[in-house]
């Protein structure tokens, strides 16, 4: 099995080494194509107006000056030649990708692009807490990643589905189980705009995050609830975003 690994944290991110270890637990034919620079939050952006620069950093390891989407396309359509990958693994992201994160995440986007190309694809993310922010518990992803991937692959990944896996912020022995979940929704009050001044007194802005005074209780069955319970969350995400229920209502309304 040929596996293509990518991420959005960049070619030197520690999580990329973790996803490569997970891949090597499944196969010896592993290729890494990752962004030259951190591309967190770029979502499913594709470079159309700027050229892509490719750099070989080691055997079967390449850096692309572009987005995770660019990396998967370059890997599958150019670097690997005529033999397409059998599996795409994107991650392991430093930080969870749940709820609305799936819209912004470059990690999710890498797996989405693999799915669009017809390749079974997984997005892998390691949650961290305030205590483990500087040193996420990568061993949790290492322990649970390979067996989960094997089971999902054996079950058969549907053609237009991405598998989003999030590992909880606890040691492997403290993981309470594995749950199949749906995408959650949370209070986005943690988003903030930080205004500052440059050396000439002109304003500039950072979009940032702050801790909420009170965190909402996550809805049972969601990715948020699974991580809160110290469970690995496995969420199948579909490429088709059509709202079938509202489509039926609109059809009746617009007749």
């Amino acid at each position: 099995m040929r596996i293509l690994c990518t991420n959005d944290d960049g070619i030197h991110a520690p999580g990329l080494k973790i996803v490569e270890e997970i891949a090597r637990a499944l196969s010896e034919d592993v290729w890494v194509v990752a962004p030259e620079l951190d591309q967190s939050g770029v979502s499913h952006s594709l470079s159309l107006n700027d050229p892509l620069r490719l750099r070989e950093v080691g055997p079967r390891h390449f850096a692309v000056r572009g987005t995770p989407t660019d990396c998967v396309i370059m890997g599958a359509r150019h670097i690997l030649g005529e033999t397409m990958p059998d599996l795409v693994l994107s991650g392991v992201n430093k930080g969870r990708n749940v709820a609305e994160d799936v819209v912004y995440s470059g990690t999710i986007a890498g797996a989405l692009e693999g799915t669009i190309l017809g390749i079974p694809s997984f997005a892998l993310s390691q949650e961290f807490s305030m205590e483990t922010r500087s040193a996420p518990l990568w061993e949790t992803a290492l322990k649970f990643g390979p067996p989960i991937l094997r089971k999902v692959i054996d079950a058969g990944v549907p053609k237009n589905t991405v598998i989003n896996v999030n590992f909880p912020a606890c040691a492997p022995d403290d993981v309470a189980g594995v749950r199949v979940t749906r995408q959650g929704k949370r209070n986005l009050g943690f988003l903030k705009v930080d205004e500052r001044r440059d050396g000439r007194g002109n304003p500039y802005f950072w979009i940032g995050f702050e801790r909420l005074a009170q965190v909402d209780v996550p809805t049972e069955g969601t990715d948020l609830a699974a991580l809160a319970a110290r469970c690995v969350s496995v969420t199948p995400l579909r490429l088709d975003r059509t709202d079938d229920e509202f489509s039926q209502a609109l059809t009746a309304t617009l007749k």
Side-chain angles (χ1 to χ4, degrees), residues 173-246:
D173 290 344
D174 295 326
V175 173
V178 179
R179 295 184 184 178
V180 177
T181 60
R182 66 181 186 276
Q183 181 183 341
K185 181 168 176 50
R186 63 188 171 205
N187 181 355
L188 290 181
F190 63 89
L191 283 172
K192 67 175 182 179
V193 177
D194 186 6
E195 180 178 357
R196 303 184 186 183
R197 299 279 170 173
D198 64 19
R200 301 178 65 185
N202 298 314
Y204 68 95
F205 304 88
W206 284 105
I207 294 177
F209 309 93
E210 58 187 354
R211 300 188 72 176
L212 294 173
Q214 182 176 354
V215 180
D216 295 338
V217 177
T219 303
E220 193 59 38
T222 64
D223 44 19
L224 292 166
L227 292 181
R230 291 190 168 184
C231 290
V232 180
S233 170
V234 180
T235 312
L237 303 172
R238 297 192 63 184
L239 292 182
D240 184 354
R241 299 183 182 182
T242 305
D243 187 331
D244 292 323
E245 184 177 346
F246 189 52

Side-chain angles (χ1 to χ4, degrees), residues 6-23 38 40 90-97 107 123-129 131-148 165-173 175 232:
T6 192
N7 72 351
D8 71 351
D9 289 332
I11 190 69
H12 299 297
L16 188 62
K17 296 178 181 178
I18 303 302
V19 82
E20 186 176 358
E21 286 190 51
I22 292 173
D38 190 333
S40 298
S90 184
V92 174
N93 190 68
K94 181 183 177 183
R96 65 186 187 178
N97 277 306
T107 302
L124 307 172
S125 302
Q126 176 63 60
E127 183 185 42
F128 60 77
S129 63
E131 294 73 24
T132 61
R133 181 182 181 89
S134 60
L137 298 167
W138 299 114
E139 59 266 28
T140 301
L142 281 172
K143 177 177 179 179
F144 288 91
I148 288 174
V165 183
N166 283 271
F167 305 98
C170 61
D173 290 344
V175 173
V232 180

Side-chain angles (χ1 to χ4, degrees), residues 21-226:
E21 286 190 51
I22 292 173
R24 293 196 181 282
L26 305 176
S27 172
E28 295 182 355
D29 192 0
V30 176
W31 297 71
V32 175
V33 183
E36 184 79 62
L37 305 172
D38 190 333
Q39 296 290 310
S40 298
V42 300
S43 188
H44 202 176
S45 58
L46 175 66
S47 298
L48 296 177
N49 296 315
D50 297 306
L52 300 178
R53 305 292 182 181
L54 178 65
R55 182 170 67 93
E56 186 171 359
V57 297
R60 298 187 179 184
H61 287 68
F62 299 84
V64 175
R65 189 168 287 270
T67 68
T69 301
D70 298 329
C71 291
V72 173
I73 293 173
M74 285 289 290
R77 297 294 193 189
H78 177 69
I79 296 171
L80 272 63
E82 296 182 359
T83 305
M84 291 275 285
D86 302 297
L87 184 69
V88 171
L89 302 182
S90 184
V92 174
N93 190 68
K94 181 183 177 183
R96 65 186 187 178
N97 277 306
V98 293
E100 292 81 6
D101 294 339
V102 303
V103 178
Y104 304 114
S105 169
T107 302
I108 302 288
L112 281 171
E113 189 58 37
T115 300
I116 288 173
L117 294 175
I119 306 164
S121 301
F122 292 74
L124 307 172
S125 302
Q126 176 63 60
E127 183 185 42
F128 60 77
S129 63
M130 294 303 295
E131 294 73 24
T132 61
R133 181 182 181 89
S134 60
L137 298 167
W138 299 114
E139 59 266 28
T140 301
L142 281 172
K143 177 177 179 179
F144 288 91
I148 288 174
L149 264 60
R150 288 191 189 99
K151 290 179 180 179
V152 176
I153 292 169
D154 288 344
V157 180
K159 185 175 181 181
N160 293 313
T161 299
V162 177
I163 308 299
N164 183 29
V165 183
N166 283 271
F167 305 98
C170 61
D173 290 344
D174 295 326
V175 173
V178 179
R179 295 184 184 178
V180 177
T181 60
R182 66 181 186 276
Q183 181 183 341
K185 181 168 176 50
R186 63 188 171 205
N187 181 355
L188 290 181
F190 63 89
L191 283 172
K192 67 175 182 179
V193 177
D194 186 6
E195 180 178 357
R196 303 184 186 183
R197 299 279 170 173
D198 64 19
R200 301 178 65 185
N202 298 314
Y204 68 95
F205 304 88
W206 284 105
I207 294 177
F209 309 93
E210 58 187 354
R211 300 188 72 176
L212 294 173
Q214 182 176 354
V215 180
D216 295 338
V217 177
T219 303
E220 193 59 38
T222 64
D223 44 19
L224 292 166

